[in-house]
Amino acid sequence: SRRKRARARHKPCELRELEVSVSELGLGYESDETVLFRYCSGTCEAAVRSYDLSLKSMRSRRKIRKEKIRARPCCRPLAYDDDVSFLDAYNRYYTVNELSAKECGCV
Amino acid sequence: TSLPRSPLLSPGPDETLRALAAPPSPPGWRAPLDCVRANEQCAAEPGCSSRYRTLRQCLAGRDRNTLLANRECQLALEVLQESALHGCRCKRGMKKELQCLQIYWSIHLGLAEGEEFYEASPYEPATSRLSDIFRLASIFSGMEPATTSKSNHCLDAAKACNLNDNCKRLRSAYISTCSRELSPSEPCSRRKCHKALRQFFDRVPGEFTFRLLFCSCKDPACAERRRQTIVPSCSYQDKEKPNCLDLRGACRADHLCRSRLADFHTNCQATFQSLTSCPGDNFQACLGSYVGLIGFDITPNYVDASTTSITISPWCSCKGSGNMEEECEKFLRDFTENPCLRNAIQAFGNGTDVIPAPKNPNPAATVLPKAEKSPALPDDVNDSNTAYDTSVISTCTSLQEQGLKPNKSKEQSLCYSEAQLTTDVMPDQKSFTDPKGGSGRQRQSWLLLLVAVLVPALGL
């Protein structure tokens, strides 16, 4: 089962989903409505480019020092889902955009 | 006690089955041609197409009386009554629905005897009851009886919609449109809101939309959520309440609205001739035509967040009706005090689409299980056909008021009150396998019976 867990941790970047209540989103809305929250998860090892390797090399040679850089691709949404609307606990409607991922990729 | 059996109240299994399998259909009956196709057929015949052109010219711009006074117009109308155009129908949400309805009314406005209170629906009769049963059954079979007693059904309905991409997208579309403030004086664009609502109810399957609109409630928060479904602040309420007859007039000026209203009157008109007060005991047809009114001038809604009594009304009153007061009240009562509509909403909320079973099953129909107890009227009201609907309702009400548990075998098909949800009647009704369950078992046996009779009927 440890191997299973390890494999799960190293799944490639993909879309996953959770059913959560609007209150749990942490956006300050109070509502018991359930929404589908889709997010991006997984590793991007296969997507390392020459850019990342070279950037890493520059950093280790101290040619880049004080800047904040990221020398490996990151699993992030490429596109966001349509708007989500809900009724809150005070009977007001709200619409939230770009709440949920629609497509993921290593960028 | 032996009471006279009215064929209308307790049909034999054969009649009931025929009514279930298809709308009443005489031998050789075929589904009506849609008016767009009928128009194409007419256009192919020189005689028909020229008469139809004439009729359209007669109707354009001129009022009915001038039309009927004109010999040529009258002749055109007479000839067209023989064509496929007469008797053609339309389908809700069909391609070219508006075109189809325009063709329908161009014939029927000429035929009508002046302004009628109820107009015939231009829509095809709601399809086979068989599919209704399956659809309703499928919706509620997914529900756990144990959890439904505590949860908020309207919240569950919103969840089901949010988890379906199509429903979520179109719901968000109308909610954001209807709650977008244009300026401090203009809370929203009512026109755009209505359009978005029509799209939602036309394109999202009834298993989602009906659940949102007709969920049953035990607490005010739930009922308020149900009332809020159509974003009433924009789509329903207005600064002033117009007169209902004026509202009806505005609706009749629009082919689409006129058709939806006629469909509502056809399918939800309370009748004393059926157990449920609905024409043909068809709840789904009534709910469907109610939903069809949303997004028009005549948009109906719950008037408050009451959990005990359901009152539906369009946003209008009968003030200022003058000598038309009576007609106005009659029009309004079809929404506010309509036992068919109320029973349909409550039955859907409770998950009990009840088919009235024959009181004394025909012994020839051996497939009917012996243990079956068919829901029957309380004996004391059975002999009075006319006062029948109101007596059933008052029977139910008085039972609740006295805090008595209604006799399951007798009452469950008749009392669809929400208060009963909390009694022990519900788990039985929801369960399809519980051997004690009245309606679940009854439904199963009906399906068996249907299959047994329909297979030979299809000539297999």
Side-chain angles (χ1 to χ4, degrees):
Chain A
S1 68
R2 210 166 92 191
R3 200 189 270 170
K4 208 173 177 182
R5 235 181 300 146
R7 223 186 307 137
R9 231 177 290 141
H10 289 100
K11 265 193 171 175
C13 178
E14 62 176 10
L15 198 62
R16 306 218 189 142
E17 58 186 40
L18 273 179
E19 287 177 23
V20 294
S21 80
V22 170
S23 301
E24 287 172 318
L25 294 171
L27 295 173
Y29 298 108
E30 229 182 291
S31 170
D32 289 336
E33 240 179 78
T34 306
V35 292
L36 196 63
F37 180 72
R38 293 200 174 100
Y39 63 100
C40 296
S41 163
T43 61
C44 285
E45 278 150 12
V48 171
R49 296 156 174 94
S50 307
Y51 165 83
D52 300 297
L53 298 173
S54 308
L55 193 61
K56 229 180 240 173
S57 171
M58 294 309 120
R59 187 171 53 193
S60 62
R61 282 160 206 269
R62 309 230 155 206
K63 295 216 171 190
I64 299 171
R65 281 195 302 190
K66 286 186 175 166
E67 296 146 72
K68 174 91 177 148
I69 56 159
R70 186 165 181 94
R72 52 178 150 172
C74 181
C75 181
R76 287 282 302 169
L78 298 178
Y80 292 91
D81 215 342
D82 304 312
D83 297 353
V84 179
S85 298
F86 56 86
L87 188 70
D88 80 353
Y90 307 99
N91 294 308
R92 285 171 309 207
Y93 276 112
Y94 290 98
T95 302
V96 178
N97 52 27
E98 301 195 330
L99 170 69
S100 193
K102 191 174 168 183
E103 196 189 329
C104 300
C106 294
V107 293
Chain B
T1 52
S2 76
L3 293 161
R5 279 183 62 202
S6 155
L8 286 170
L9 293 177
S10 40
D14 286 348
E15 293 103 285
T16 314
L17 279 172
R18 229 173 290 131
L20 281 170
S25 45
W29 186 88
R30 275 173 298 155
L33 198 60
D34 87 57
C35 296
V36 177
R37 296 260 315 277
N39 187 30
E40 283 165 9
Q41 273 189 19
C42 176
E45 296 166 39
C48 184
S49 63
S50 69
R51 300 288 189 199
Y52 185 50
R53 255 200 315 278
T54 308
L55 179 72
R56 293 195 71 149
Q57 279 168 2
C58 293
L59 284 166
R62 259 179 274 175
D63 67 88
R64 257 176 42 82
N65 296 332
T66 19
L67 157 76
L68 292 178
N70 185 314
R71 181 82 195 97
E72 208 181 328
C73 294
Q74 239 178 340
L75 193 70
L77 199 55
E78 274 166 30
V79 172
L80 288 172
Q81 281 188 58
E82 308 294 315
S83 76
L85 281 169
H86 184 243
C88 69
R89 292 279 188 281
C90 303
K91 276 201 181 90
R92 273 262 302 278
M94 69 184 280
K95 250 198 222 170
K96 301 182 183 172
E97 182 180 346
L98 186 57
Q99 194 194 331
C100 185
L101 294 170
Q102 277 163 349
I103 296 165
Y104 175 91
W105 287 112
S106 69
I107 302 281
H108 286 260
L109 285 185
L111 286 175
E113 308 228 342
E115 286 274 296
E116 285 169 9
F117 192 88
Y118 294 120
E119 294 180 315
S121 172
Y123 292 106
E124 272 183 25
T127 44
S128 150
R129 285 282 308 274
L130 213 54
S131 62
D132 305 351
I133 301 163
F134 284 121
R135 210 173 308 149
L136 280 172
S138 70
I139 298 166
F140 292 100
S141 60
M143 284 184 170
E144 299 274 314
T147 56
T148 45
S149 59
K150 267 197 93 178
S151 62
N152 174 334
H153 286 112
C154 298
L155 199 55
D156 293 344
K159 175 179 173 179
C161 180
N162 283 343
L163 298 185
N164 174 281
D165 280 327
N166 184 43
C167 190
K168 184 196 78 177
R169 188 171 56 82
L170 288 165
R171 177 173 181 247
S172 294
Y174 83 73
I175 289 174
S176 57
T177 308
C178 298
S179 51
R180 191 178 299 133
E181 191 178 315
L182 297 176
S183 67
S185 60
E186 247 183 309
C188 68
S189 162
R190 195 183 178 93
R191 193 179 56 79
K192 283 184 181 167
C193 170
H194 276 176
K195 191 181 172 196
L197 277 167
R198 291 200 298 270
Q199 278 181 347
F200 177 74
F201 288 108
D202 279 347
R203 296 184 191 170
V204 177
E207 65 200 82
F208 295 110
T209 57
F210 282 31
R211 271 183 82 182
L212 280 167
L213 270 176
F214 309 123
C215 40
S216 64
C217 287
K218 279 163 278 164
D219 61 86
C222 171
E224 179 58 19
R225 170 175 280 278
R226 177 172 65 190
R227 193 185 75 84
Q228 289 284 349
T229 302
I230 62 167
V231 198
S233 61
C234 180
S235 70
Y236 180 65
Q237 284 150 244
D238 214 340
K239 284 166 214 143
E240 286 159 36
K241 257 194 183 178
N243 179 276
C244 293
L245 293 180
D246 290 347
L247 199 65
R248 182 180 70 172
C251 177
R252 282 189 169 176
D254 172 60
H255 283 315
L256 212 49
C257 188
R258 180 178 209 141
S259 306
R260 300 296 176 92
L261 184 61
D263 196 50
F264 174 75
H265 282 146
T266 303
N267 292 314
C268 289
Q269 208 184 124
T271 166
F272 296 117
Q273 296 176 354
S274 70
L275 278 171
T276 57
S277 304
C278 284
D281 289 320
N282 194 339
F283 282 152
Q284 175 143 345
C286 175
L287 295 182
S289 49
Y290 172 90
V291 168
L293 293 175
I294 295 172
F296 293 95
D297 288 337
I298 206 91
T299 299
N301 198 24
Y302 299 88
V303 297
D304 55 30
S306 162
T307 51
T308 48
S309 69
I310 289 178
T311 310
I312 300 281
S313 174
W315 186 258
C316 66
S317 79
C318 282
K319 264 186 211 155
S321 300
N323 59 358
M324 302 281 276
E325 177 107 31
E326 215 170 292
E327 184 168 351
C328 183
E329 291 292 348
K330 186 182 171 202
F331 175 79
L332 188 55
R333 270 200 306 273
D334 281 333
F335 292 92
T336 53
E337 292 166 41
N338 182 334
C340 164
L341 179 60
R342 197 173 303 166
N343 285 344
I345 291 174
Q346 291 183 339
F348 186 87
N350 294 358
T352 52
D353 184 26
V354 174
I355 312 149
K359 195 183 175 190
N360 301 314
N362 188 337
T366 45
V367 274
L368 248 161
K370 282 181 197 134
E372 164 117 356
K373 276 191 186 159
S374 45
L377 288 167
D379 282 350
D380 54 348
V381 293
N382 204 7
D383 50 355
S384 134
N385 286 3
T386 42
Y388 165 76
D389 283 297
T390 42
S391 9
V392 169
I393 287 162
S394 59
T395 308
C396 292
T397 321
S398 62
L399 276 169
Q400 282 147 22
E401 279 165 3
Q402 292 159 26
L404 296 172
K405 276 182 191 168
N407 179 336
K408 276 186 214 172
S409 64
K410 278 194 173 178
E411 299 285 340
Q412 66 181 16
S413 70
L414 303 171
C415 311
Y416 303 113
S417 86
E418 288 179 303
Q420 272 184 22
L421 268 171
T422 49
T423 71
D424 60 347
V425 178
M426 274 322 286
D428 278 358
Q429 290 185 331
K430 284 271 165 60
S431 154
F432 285 84
T433 47
D434 186 343
K436 285 174 291 180
S439 76
R441 195 195 165 97
Q442 190 186 315
R443 196 176 319 199
Q444 265 181 346
S445 60
W446 269 103
L447 293 182
L448 277 174
L449 187 60
L450 281 172
V451 171
V453 174
L454 286 177
V455 167
L458 290 168
L460 299 173

